[in-house]
């Protein structure tokens, strides 16, 4: 009986922490000052962007942040920030770290960021890779799922460069709006 009580208490505390972490993720609702669901016009008031010529489909538009050096992820430099809009609403924010020379110090950067994210939002859960992930050299895909926001982390394979050195493509973090994603799925399924 005593062990059952202890187990119930531990489960209650861990579930409470998980719920609080997911609530924090949902309250943040984006990255930095960028909020999922915002309009293109709202984002353009916050930051200078360039529209990509790449077409993701009839209702999708992709933009890149111009002055990337103004933004950091837990103090670390970024390689890019992309916005993907669906019907002029911000569906996804993609934050990619700079590519780095392979070293234990640079590997620890990714570990440090992961640790900081997990402290705030809860543990990442690993998901199976899709064929598209594998084609893009993703070796691991993790997610933290709230009720309004999914945070994905993509880890990439080493890339060989000249002189036998290796580059690590910076981990990529993707903040995805669940309500907009559900709207897309509903529209794709004829409103069902």
């Amino acid at each position: 009986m005593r062990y059952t009580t202890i187990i119930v208490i531990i489960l209650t505390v861990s579930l409470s922490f998980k719920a609080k972490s997911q609530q924090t993720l949902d309250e943040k609702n984006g990255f930095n000052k960028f909020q999922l669901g915002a309009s293109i016009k709202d984002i353009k008031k916050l930051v200078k962007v360039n529209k990509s010529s790449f077409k993701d489909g009839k209702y999708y538009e992709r933009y890149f942040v111009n002055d990337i050096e103004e933004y950091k992820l837990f103090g670390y430099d970024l390689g890019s920030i992309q916005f993907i809009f669906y019907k002029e609403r911000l569906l996804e924010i993609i934050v990619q770290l700079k590519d780095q020379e392979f070293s234990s110090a640079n590997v620890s950067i990714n570990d440090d960021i992961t640790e900081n994210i997990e402290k705030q939002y809860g543990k990442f859960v690993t998901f199976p890779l899709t064929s598209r992930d594998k084609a893009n050299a993703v070796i691991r895909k993790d997610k933290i799922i709230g009720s309004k926001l999914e945070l994905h982390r993509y880890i990439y394979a080493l890339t060989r460069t000249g002189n036998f050195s290796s580059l690590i493509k910076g981990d990529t973090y993707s903040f995805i709006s669940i309500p907009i994603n559900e709207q897309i799925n509903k529209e794709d399924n004829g409103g069902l």
Side-chain angles (χ1 to χ4, degrees):
M1 182 73 158
R2 183 176 176 195
Y3 293 113
T4 304
T5 305
I6 292 171
I7 290 172
V8 168
I9 290 170
I10 291 171
L11 284 173
T12 303
V13 169
S14 68
L15 289 174
S16 173
F17 175 75
K18 183 177 180 183
K20 179 70 175 151
S21 297
Q22 288 176 340
Q23 179 183 352
T24 304
L25 181 67
D26 287 335
E27 287 171 358
K28 181 80 172 159
N29 195 36
F31 171 73
N32 200 292
K33 58 186 173 186
F34 310 117
Q35 296 289 301
L36 293 167
S39 70
I40 294 171
K41 195 179 286 187
D42 291 339
I43 294 297
K44 286 181 176 180
K45 289 177 186 174
L46 298 173
V47 67
K48 291 181 182 179
V49 294
N50 285 330
K51 186 174 182 180
S52 171
S53 59
F54 181 75
K55 294 289 181 195
D56 291 329
K58 182 177 178 181
Y59 298 112
Y60 295 89
E61 293 180 282
R62 183 183 299 249
Y63 290 81
F64 290 87
V65 171
N66 286 349
D67 299 321
I68 195 67
E69 52 281 339
E70 293 180 26
Y71 301 95
K72 307 260 186 224
L73 184 60
F74 295 105
Y76 297 106
D77 293 335
L78 301 179
S80 68
I81 299 175
Q82 300 176 49
F83 301 121
I84 298 177
F85 291 88
Y86 176 76
K87 293 186 176 179
E88 299 190 9
R89 290 285 175 217
L90 185 54
L91 163 66
E92 184 174 3
I93 304 166
I94 302 168
V95 177
Q96 184 167 13
L97 296 174
K98 278 188 169 184
D99 293 349
Q100 312 158 35
E101 286 289 325
F102 178 72
S103 71
S104 59
N106 288 336
V107 170
S108 69
I109 289 171
N110 296 330
D111 293 342
D112 184 47
I113 291 170
T114 298
E115 184 178 312
N116 280 303
I117 289 172
E118 289 183 335
K119 280 181 188 174
Q120 288 186 17
Y121 306 127
K123 293 282 185 196
F124 279 106
V125 176
T126 301
F127 279 74
L129 296 175
T130 64
S131 56
R132 183 177 179 186
D133 293 332
K134 292 174 186 175
N136 288 320
V138 174
I139 58 171
R140 184 170 167 174
K141 176 171 65 178
D142 300 329
K143 297 180 187 180
I144 301 173
I145 301 174
S147 60
K148 297 190 308 187
L149 168 72
E150 284 190 19
L151 173 54
H152 296 203
R153 175 181 67 169
Y154 300 92
I155 302 171
Y156 298 91
L158 289 177
T159 305
R160 292 261 180 237
T161 60
N163 299 333
F164 301 102
S165 64
S166 297
L167 282 179
I168 301 173
K169 182 176 180 180
D171 286 359
T172 298
Y173 297 88
S174 180
F175 302 80
I176 302 169
S177 168
I178 292 174
I180 296 174
N181 210 20
E182 287 173 347
Q183 174 191 348
I184 294 166
N185 291 334
K186 190 174 182 180
E187 291 171 6
D188 286 349
N189 292 322
L192 298 177

